[in-house]
Amino acid sequence: MKDLYSGIAEILEVPEDSVDASFDLANGEQEWDSMAVVSTIALVDNLYDVALDGVKLAECETVADIEKLIKENS
Amino acid sequence: MNRVAKIEKIASYFPQTVLTNEHLSEVFSDWTADKIYSKTGIENRYIADENETALDLACHAAERLFSEHQVSHESIDYVIFCTQAPDYFLPTSACIIQDRLNINRSAGAVDINLGCSGFVYGLSLAKGLIESGQVNNVLLLTADTYTKFIHPMDKSVRTLFGDGAAATLISACNSDCPRISNFVFGTDGSGAKDLIVPVGGMRQPIRTEKDYEEVTDSSGNIRTQCNLFMNGANVLNFTLREVPKALDQILKKSGRDKEDYKFFVLHQANKFMLEALSKKLKVPKEKVPILMEDGGNTVSSTIPMALERMFDGKMLEPGDEVVFLGFGVGLSWAGCTVTI
C-alpha cells in the first residue's frame, strides 16, 4: 500500500510520510473534491488495475475506506 | 496500384479571445495558474465571440486550408461538417458552408453530430466516399464552441475546453497499400448522461425559469440544466476501460505491434488523462504527443490540430505510421491507422 499512500499524498498535496490508512481525506491541502477523486481513480487503476466508482470514492472519509473499496472491487 | 484515400492537408483556426490560467485563477481562487497548468497541461483556451459560431470557425479554418496550402475550393466535391453546436436545428450547417466557401453546387454536404470521436468517424466516411469511387476530394471540417455551453463558475469543464476548428482535406490517390485503415468503432449510449447539455434540445426544450436555476455541486462547481455537465469520474473510467481494448482491436486488425507505430495520436482531452492512458496502454509517453497547451480540449478538432502541429514541428515524415484514437461524449469512440 506504500505506492497508494505516496500517490494520495501527491494528489492531496501533503508530505508523503503523513499518509497512512487512518489519514482523514478532508485534511489535505487539496480538497477531497471531484479533481482529487478523478486523480485517485487513475492512481488506483494504474497500481491495481481496479476501476473505482466515483460516487463511492467521493464518499470515502479515510484512506482505509479507499483500501476497503479497492478490495471490494478486486 | 489501388485508389485509396489519403490525408493531404490540415489547417486549424482559433478565435481571437484568449482565456489564460491567470484569469481562471482569479475566478477560482483555490487554484493558482501553475496548479491549473500542472493538472490540465493547458496554458490558453480560445473563446468564440458571442456572435461567432462553430460554422464561422470552420469556414476560417477552410479558408486557411485553401490559401496556405494552395487548395482550390472548386476541387472540393464533398463537405463533412462535424459539430455539436450547429447554427440552426435546420437547415444543415454544411449546406450553409457550401455557399459561404463558394464550393461547387455539385458537391455533397452533410453534418455529423459527434464530439471527441468525430474526426475519426469523419475520416472513415471520407475513406468510404473516396474509395468507393463516389468523390475525389472531401473537406472534413471539425468545429465546436463548447464554451458557449459552459457555466463560468464550473471549474471542472471551464479549465479544459476551448473553441476551435480544423479543416482536413482527404483526397484520392494511387497507392499499393491503404493510407487510412484498420478502423474500429465503439458506442455506449448508457453513458450519455456523463457528458451532456441536458436542456435545450427536443427531449427537454427550455420551458421555464427553472431550466436556468443555478445548482452548486459537492465540489463547488455551479451550473444550470442548460450548461455542459461532465461526470469526470465516469468519463475517466470509460476511457481507461475502452481505449486499451480499441487499441488492441486496431493492432489485431492491422497485424502489427505497438512498436511499428511512430505515434499514438489520442484525443487531446487533458494532460492528466493522456498520461493515465499512456501508462494503461503501456506505450512510452514520448509516443503519445500532448499538444494542447495552446488551445485546450477543442473536442473533435484535437486530433487534426495535434497532427498539424506535428507536421509543423517536423515530427512526421512521409511513410510514418500512426494510430488515431478519439473518445468521449456519446459515449463514443473510434480509432484507425494512418500512413503519412
Side-chain angles (χ1 to χ4, degrees):
Chain A
M1 289 296 169
K2 191 169 173 290
D3 290 342
L4 178 68
Y5 296 164
S6 63
I8 288 174
E10 192 178 332
I11 290 166
L12 295 177
E13 299 174 10
V14 294
E16 195 173 325
D17 57 7
S18 69
V19 174
D20 58 18
S22 65
F23 186 82
D24 184 345
L25 296 167
N27 282 347
E29 185 67 31
Q30 156 76 43
E31 275 184 62
W32 184 240
D33 62 5
S34 60
M35 185 69 219
V37 165
V38 168
S39 301
T40 305
I41 287 173
L43 172 72
V44 170
D45 187 276
N46 183 39
L47 291 176
Y48 309 110
D49 200 20
V50 168
L52 296 184
D53 176 77
V55 174
K56 286 182 182 164
L57 185 56
E59 287 168 355
C60 289
E61 292 178 0
T62 65
V63 172
D65 293 338
I66 299 176
E67 291 174 317
K68 191 173 163 219
L69 201 57
I70 294 168
K71 278 189 189 135
E72 285 170 3
N73 286 277
S74 295
Chain B
M1 298 284 262
N2 296 312
R3 174 192 171 87
V4 302
K6 179 174 183 275
I7 295 175
E8 287 288 349
K9 308 285 182 193
I10 299 174
S12 60
Y13 179 82
F14 287 119
Q16 302 298 309
T17 303
V18 183
L19 177 61
T20 64
N21 291 341
E22 285 70 25
H23 179 82
L24 286 171
S25 69
E26 288 169 15
V27 179
F28 306 113
S29 54
D30 51 335
W31 276 28
T32 64
D34 285 348
K35 185 168 172 177
I36 295 170
Y37 180 75
S38 74
K39 296 283 184 194
T40 63
I42 301 164
E43 190 64 58
N44 297 316
R45 305 124 198 97
Y46 296 90
I47 313 296
D49 288 344
E50 196 179 339
N51 297 318
E52 192 173 36
T53 69
L55 186 154
D56 297 325
L57 304 183
C59 287
H60 282 302
E63 282 157 1
R64 260 200 70 212
L65 182 88
F66 295 159
S67 63
E68 294 182 19
H69 294 291
Q70 293 80 48
V71 174
S72 165
H73 60 87
E74 291 178 349
S75 68
I76 305 299
D77 40 28
Y78 208 100
V79 179
I80 298 172
F81 181 41
C82 178
T83 191
Q84 303 200 294
D87 274 23
Y88 307 102
F89 283 127
L90 60 117
T92 308
S93 294
C95 295
I96 300 170
I97 289 173
Q98 173 273 328
D99 182 55
R100 181 91 71 88
L101 295 176
N102 204 18
I103 287 169
N104 289 335
R105 288 190 189 181
S106 57
V110 64
D111 287 357
I112 57 172
N113 179 336
L114 281 168
C116 309
S117 62
F119 179 72
V120 180
Y121 269 89
L123 283 183
S124 96
L125 295 173
K127 175 186 167 78
L129 287 163
I130 289 169
E131 295 188 4
S132 59
Q134 297 178 69
V135 298
N136 290 317
N137 294 301
V138 176
L139 177 63
L140 171 58
L141 299 170
T142 50
D144 252 305
T145 53
Y146 266 33
T147 70
K148 291 179 192 287
F149 296 134
I150 291 172
H151 191 289
M153 294 307 293
D154 188 348
K155 185 170 61 182
S156 70
V157 285
R158 198 175 176 205
T159 51
L160 300 178
F161 291 101
D163 301 332
T168 306
L169 177 67
I170 301 122
S171 298
C173 74
N174 289 316
S175 173
D176 288 332
C177 55
R179 308 295 289 256
I180 309 171
S181 55
N182 301 307
F183 279 92
V184 300
F185 305 102
T187 309
D188 180 6
S190 72
K193 64 188 183 309
D194 292 327
L195 199 40
I196 191 169
V197 179
V199 165
M202 298 311 291
R203 177 61 60 188
Q204 285 184 260
I206 298 169
R207 286 199 173 106
T208 64
E209 284 297 310
K210 201 172 182 319
D211 295 326
Y212 292 108
E213 194 175 282
E214 292 181 333
V215 175
T216 304
D217 72 15
S218 59
S219 297
N221 294 306
I222 300 170
R223 68 184 73 86
T224 74
Q225 287 290 296
C226 299
N227 292 130
L228 177 69
F229 165 74
M230 180 172 75
N231 183 328
N234 285 4
V235 172
L236 176 65
N237 274 328
F238 141 72
T239 303
L240 293 175
R241 182 179 67 244
E242 299 299 344
V243 174
K245 281 194 252 176
L247 178 58
D248 285 346
Q249 289 165 1
I250 289 170
L251 295 174
K252 199 173 173 189
K253 265 194 166 183
S254 66
R256 313 285 292 276
D257 298 318
K258 286 177 201 165
E259 293 70 30
D260 296 325
Y261 293 97
K262 189 168 182 182
F263 290 108
F264 297 81
V265 186
L266 309 185
H267 162 56
Q268 307 281 293
N270 58 72
K271 181 180 166 210
F272 163 77
M273 190 178 273
L274 288 167
E275 287 179 347
L277 263 179
S278 70
K279 282 182 197 165
K280 185 84 176 178
L281 296 173
K282 297 185 173 59
V283 172
K285 60 182 181 183
E286 299 76 32
K287 287 185 143 196
V288 182
I290 301 178
L291 295 163
M292 58 179 313
E293 185 175 291
D294 185 32
N297 181 341
T298 52
V299 195
S300 54
S301 295
T302 66
I303 293 176
M305 282 177 174
L307 204 58
E308 184 188 27
R309 287 169 172 169
M310 292 168 78
F311 282 126
D312 290 346
K314 312 234 179 301
M315 293 165 70
L316 291 169
E317 292 170 13
D320 282 346
E321 307 233 16
V322 297
V323 172
F324 292 169
L325 273 162
F327 46 86
V329 60
L331 301 168
S332 168
W333 60 100
C336 65
T337 62
V338 169
T339 306
I340 302 298

